[in-house]
Amino acid sequence: MAIADDKKKIVVLGGSYAGVSTAHYLLKHAVPKLPNPKSYQVVLISTSAQAMCRPAAPRALISDAMFPQDKLFVSIRKSYSQYASGSFVFEQGTATALDHENRTVSVLLAKNNDISGGAELKISYHALVIATGSSTPSPLLGFTRDETVLKSSWAAFREALPKAKHIVIAGGGASGVEVAGELGEYLNGRAGWLSSTLSDPKVQITLLSGGARILPYLRPAIAQTAETYLAKVGVRIVNKARVAAVSPATAGTEDVAVNATLALDNGETLQADLYIPATGAVPNAGFVPETLRCPDGRVNTHASTLRVIGAGERVYSIGDVSSAARPTVHNITTMVPVLGANIKRDLLLAAGESAQVAGGDRTFKEDTRETQLVPIGKSKGVGAIMGMKFPSFLVWLIKGRDYWLWTTGNLWSGKQWAKES
């Protein structure tokens, strides 16, 4: 089904948790309640034709045997086959420019799964949702382009892994700790109950943290437990150390399998057989005018209503690319019903319905209590939810056994959003 010129287009940019969920929610609970629903079309644009359980990357990068691949990667187009013909269109492509004054977004379409090989399409939108997420410095940890590039990066890394004697991971946040834990356990095993460290690891693994400790979103005592678990799989932690220069410059980013020389800001130099930069992700907002972005690069979004500030009517942002909240999956799933309700309200008003019929705004309020779960290998983990510290077993049970893969089937299919909430 092609994009229809004669329909009011609700364009959703981004094919991960935020974008896929928002499109499902609108198709189920917003569009059917509008006057003349058949005059609207939801258009979902994503650089990848498949949705992926991105939190699983720290383990998935090691081997395809770690997870069922048909659950790790799911076709976006097939996930929407349940909806009426003409109500939904999926296009694989990359947003290149937003013209909020003329209410158009330009998209470079993919051709034969090459995201830079197709034609450019300019789409006039009636409503726009920016849910383009963020990209990691390392192509091992998520979609920097599409699933083809990700799988190619994994293949190159896996080929080099058996020969590696020293692996350096930069980043003391959850991603860095998870990667270190997974690689440590896979390559070195785990020390016995009576040993506090793995005395003679087969592979030296160094985790660099720019702060005074790892896992800054969790209390120090929890971070200390994480350090203990990492030591048991042969991971050495260096705090207050950042990578100042990398040689060759492409190591870890464009070339995941090359040996690297790392100059640290503390004056130390490390030689790494493999280097993984697991530092903060960068918002995918380069196509958004600078006037609509915050200094950190995220889209300037009203924290309560999720409307983009200064972008005109019916423009919204959600997820990692939005400034509304800390980029986490649990924040996204809380945002979706609020965003869906506010889009429905705005569409009703635009269709000529009264304010009484449309109702008032729903508001999002971020839960800022300590919430983060961090698996460390296949059997250990640390974390807290809503300020409550969780024991290692519960971290494993909720996240560590399959990195949320038990939750994503209902999300990608839309079953999670079957009821309006």
Side-chain angles (χ1 to χ4, degrees), residues 8 15 25 29 41 50-51 63 82 127 166 172 177 197 224 247 292 296 312 321 341-342 347 357 383 409:
K8 298 181 181 73
Y25 200 94
H29 306 301
Q41 187 177 63
Q50 295 183 327
S63 168
Q82 61 194 281
H166 185 202
V177 170
T197 61
Q224 182 60 52
S247 179
L292 303 181
D296 66 1
V321 77
N342 288 342
L347 292 173
V357 171

Side-chain angles (χ1 to χ4, degrees), residues 7 10 58 82 111 139 149 153 194 204 232 257 281 313 349 363 375:
K7 294 192 177 189
I10 305 168
Q82 61 194 281
K111 183 178 181 180
V149 173
S153 297
L194 299 179
Q204 183 183 355
K232 282 180 169 288
E313 295 181 327
L349 291 173
T363 57

Side-chain angles (χ1 to χ4, degrees), residues 345 348-360:
R345 173 190 179 275
L348 284 168
L349 291 173
E353 296 290 346
S354 67
Q356 184 176 3
V357 171

Side-chain angles (χ1 to χ4, degrees), residues 67 77 353:
F67 299 107
R77 184 175 280 106
E353 296 290 346

